[in-house]
Amino acid sequence: MTTVQPRPPATVPTAPNAPTRLIVAMALAQLGAYLTILTPVVVTMSIRVAQIAPDDKAAALGTVLSVGAVLALIGNPFFGAMSDRTTSRFGRRRPWLLGGMLAGFAGLLVVALGGSVPVLTAGWALAQLGVNATLSTLTALLPDQIPAASGAGSAASSA
């Protein structure tokens, strides 16, 4: 008769925890980017459109926001894929992160100073593309900085 020897308990390799400082910094960066793009929509865009086109506020606001929404829908996955494929001396993500922030700032400056609906639309489109480049890069940056087995960092910054 053969005796069956019990197997030793399986050990699951543990990944090191994500640094708290990194998670907090990434969450604050995403919060800042979202505040940058949501504040004009919620607070100032309708006021700005009413100043520029008081007779046709609803149609002008719809045009401005629609163009921005479509570009955000297209821009986010596009910039994420581009940052995945970028090879530069500054790294994969950094050029898209900094370029997105600069483009978003420039777009918001155009929104603040523009004097017509087409200029406002172009400024909002640039702001949407820039901030979405920043957001998609921040989202892609997190797995680069945190070990693969640790999903807590991604969940914390996405919440």
Side-chain angles (χ1 to χ4, degrees):
M1 181 173 234
T2 308
T3 58
V4 177
Q5 302 248 341
R7 281 194 220 174
T11 58
V12 176
T14 58
N17 288 334
T20 304
R21 184 175 170 196
L22 176 66
I23 293 174
V24 169
M26 296 292 284
L28 289 175
Q30 287 194 354
L31 176 67
Y34 279 115
L35 286 176
T36 299
I37 205 67
L38 289 176
T39 302
V41 172
V42 174
V43 179
T44 59
M45 192 62 75
S46 62
I47 296 170
R48 193 73 188 111
V49 168
Q51 292 171 342
I52 293 172
D55 297 333
D56 201 17
K57 292 185 282 195
L61 183 62
T63 300
V64 171
L65 296 180
S66 297
V67 169
V70 168
L71 289 175
L73 184 69
I74 295 167
N76 203 302
F78 172 77
F79 291 120
M82 292 305 293
S83 74
D84 287 342
R85 290 167 177 78
T86 298
T87 57
S88 81
R89 67 181 190 167
F90 302 111
R92 287 176 19 178
R93 313 285 184 207
R94 195 171 291 135
W96 294 101
L97 186 65
L98 295 175
M101 289 189 294
L102 290 173
F105 176 74
L108 290 175
L109 192 61
V110 171
V111 167
L113 301 175
S116 67
V117 173
V119 172
L120 188 66
T121 303
W124 186 240
L126 181 60
Q128 281 284 355
L129 287 173
V131 173
N132 275 282
T134 300
L135 286 170
S136 65
T137 304
L138 283 171
T139 303
L141 180 66
L142 194 57
D144 292 347
Q145 302 297 317
I146 298 177
S150 175
S154 181
S157 71
S158 297

